[in-house]
Amino acid sequence: MPTSKLMPLAVALFALGVVAIVAMFVAGEPGLPGWVFAAGWLLAPAGLALGVFSAVRSSRSRG
């Protein structure tokens, strides 16, 4: 089974987004800069979408 080169990037983006979301809950709203909120809102969904795209692309048969 060939491995996709996009999947490690997708996992990294998703993990960074989840870390940012956890940081939001731990630190509370007033204690964090705006880029942490942007990272939580953008990186996790982008990583998830890229992972789904990578999985679908790698599962298609090569014709």
Side-chain angles (χ1 to χ4, degrees):
M1 180 172 170
T3 59
S4 173
K5 296 182 190 307
L6 290 177
M7 190 58 79
L9 177 63
V11 170
L13 285 176
F14 186 76
L16 286 173
V18 169
V19 166
I21 291 170
V22 169
M24 283 189 262
F25 282 111
V26 169
E29 188 172 325
L32 295 174
W35 64 268
V36 176
F37 293 103
W41 278 95
L42 297 174
L43 290 180
L48 181 64
L50 187 61
V52 168
F53 173 75
S54 174
V56 168
R57 193 178 114 199
S58 68
S59 70
R60 298 186 84 179
S61 64
R62 308 277 179 196

